[in-house]
């Protein structure tokens, strides 16, 4: 029996590339996205009967029920690619409450909606969960605070989930891509900094905008990595993809360890009593 995959954010970027690859293996794909025209394109590409398209806003109140019904109709689910999300860059202070709420609703709460809708079927098949994070799910740059926080939330939710699901046979992997040439940059929201943040947020955004095309990796590398991990009997919990992801995550981890060591004496000192 062919495997069944559910892929969110299937109409562009990594989601689109993985959808195409999964279809090429003979899998039945439930492709979830908000763009009807892009979903129609996938139908044209797919062999007859091997794709189910679902036009859905994952933040909608009925999203979980719609997903549950779709998975039930498919009869099984073997692989979840929980990939939908968008970027938001700007100083922490200047991102207002509505923008902050929106990024967490899409990148975190909708991610949880998808998990709740699919995990019963994935437990039944001892399937795979792949959660799309980012290299800045492990640390933050100037301007990335809210976006990095949303991806950091996905990272810790996924780590807990991996522990919780271990006895069931379901495997969880967090994909941490670096900088790749997808539609991400075209779709992200940027809040331009005021004078107070020009030396930090402004400089970072300007430097990033000046990166040459060769600084952006081929997104096919991420799609290939996802396909490989999905097939592994014992996949990693985290997989950084791209040289910049490996380099920056390693540097962040080393910095945190060095700081932990530097302040260990204070950390372990008895609490000072106050009079």
């Amino acid at each position: 029996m062919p495997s069944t995959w559910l892929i969110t954010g299937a109409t562009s970027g990594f989601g689109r590339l993985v959808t195409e690859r999964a279809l090429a293996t003979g899998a039945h794909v439930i492709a979830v996205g908000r763009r009807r025209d892009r979903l129609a394109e996938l139908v044209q590409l797919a062999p007859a009967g091997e794709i189910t398209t679902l036009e859905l806003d994952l933040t909608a109140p009925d999203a979980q029920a719609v997903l549950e019904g779709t998975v039930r109709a498919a009869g099984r689910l073997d692989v979840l690619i929980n990939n939908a999300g968008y970027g938001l860059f700007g100083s922490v202070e200047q991102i207002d409450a509505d923008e902050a709420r929106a990024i967490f609703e899409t990148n975190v709460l909708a991610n949880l909606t998808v998990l709740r809708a699919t995990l019963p079927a994935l437990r039944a098949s001892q399937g795979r969960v792949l959660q799309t994070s980012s290299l800045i799910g492990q640390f933050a740059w100037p301007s990335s605070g809210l976006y990095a926080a949303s991806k950091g939330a996905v990272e810790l939710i996924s780590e807990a989930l991996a522990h919780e699901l271990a006895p069931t046979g379901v495997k969880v992997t967090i994909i941490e891509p670096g900088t790749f040439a997808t539609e991400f940059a075209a779709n992200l929201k940027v809040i331009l900094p005021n004078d107070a943040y020009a030396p930090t947020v402004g400089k970072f955004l300007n430097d990033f905008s000046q990166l040459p095309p060769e600084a952006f990796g081929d997104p096919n590398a991420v799609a290939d990595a996802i396909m490989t991990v999905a097939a592994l009997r014992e996949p990693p919990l985290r997989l950084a993809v791209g040289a910049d992801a490996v380099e920056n995550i390693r540097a962040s981890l080393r910095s945190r360890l060095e700081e932990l060591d530097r302040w260990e004496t204070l950390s372990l000192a008895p609490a000072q009593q106050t009079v």
Side-chain angles (χ1 to χ4, degrees):
M1 178 181 293
S3 62
T4 299
W5 294 45
L6 189 148
I7 303 173
T8 66
T11 56
S12 65
F14 304 136
R16 172 68 179 258
L17 293 173
V18 174
T19 298
E20 293 172 356
R21 283 160 170 74
L23 288 169
T25 69
H28 173 221
V29 176
I30 302 169
V32 183
R34 293 192 293 181
R35 293 189 56 176
R36 184 175 302 178
D37 58 333
R38 294 285 186 89
L39 291 171
E41 289 175 7
L42 290 174
V43 172
Q44 295 301 314
L45 291 173
E50 291 189 5
I51 190 166
T52 299
T53 59
L54 185 59
E55 183 183 352
L56 182 65
D57 180 348
L58 293 172
T59 67
D62 64 344
Q64 181 174 333
V66 172
L67 289 168
E68 288 171 343
T70 304
V71 171
R72 193 180 308 116
R76 64 178 291 125
L77 185 61
D78 301 282
V79 180
L80 167 64
I81 310 296
N82 209 355
N83 171 71
Y86 72 94
L88 172 65
F89 288 81
S91 70
V92 170
E93 180 184 350
Q94 288 183 268
I95 293 175
D96 65 29
D98 289 340
E99 291 283 10
R101 189 175 297 109
I103 191 85
F104 276 86
E105 284 179 349
T106 297
N107 289 6
V108 182
L109 299 182
N111 185 288
L112 290 170
T113 294
V114 176
L115 290 172
R116 286 192 295 268
T118 58
L119 283 174
L122 288 164
R123 287 197 302 273
S125 67
Q126 295 188 324
R128 299 287 182 269
V129 175
L130 287 93
Q131 299 267 80
T132 302
S133 177
S134 167
L135 77 163
I136 50 175
Q138 291 258 7
F139 60 92
W141 286 319
S143 82
S144 76
L146 272 294
Y147 176 68
S150 73
K151 290 303 185 179
V154 170
E155 295 253 352
L156 291 178
I157 288 167
S158 302
E159 184 171 338
L161 187 66
H163 293 306
E164 293 163 2
L165 290 173
T168 73
V170 178
K171 305 295 185 182
V172 178
T173 297
I174 306 159
I175 304 296
E176 301 168 330
T179 306
F180 286 87
T182 68
E183 295 177 48
F184 176 84
N187 295 327
L188 65 82
K189 295 185 177 182
V190 176
I191 310 300
L192 295 178
N194 59 24
D195 290 345
Y197 295 107
T200 52
V201 173
K203 182 180 185 306
F204 178 86
L205 292 174
N206 182 67
D207 290 348
F208 190 84
S209 71
Q210 300 301 314
L211 289 175
E214 56 269 23
F216 295 83
D218 181 355
N220 286 290
V222 178
D224 290 342
I226 288 173
M227 295 301 295
T228 298
V229 166
L232 291 178
R233 186 177 182 86
E234 294 296 333
L237 173 61
R238 288 180 170 85
L239 182 70
V241 186
D244 61 331
V246 173
E247 177 183 348
N248 282 283
I249 290 172
R250 179 179 285 129
S252 174
L253 292 172
R254 283 176 173 165
S255 175
R256 291 176 65 183
L257 284 171
E258 289 169 1
E259 186 174 53
L260 187 67
D261 291 342
R262 185 181 309 119
W263 294 98
E264 182 176 8
T265 302
L266 180 60
S267 300
L268 301 178
Q272 296 294 317
Q273 294 186 351
T274 59
V275 178

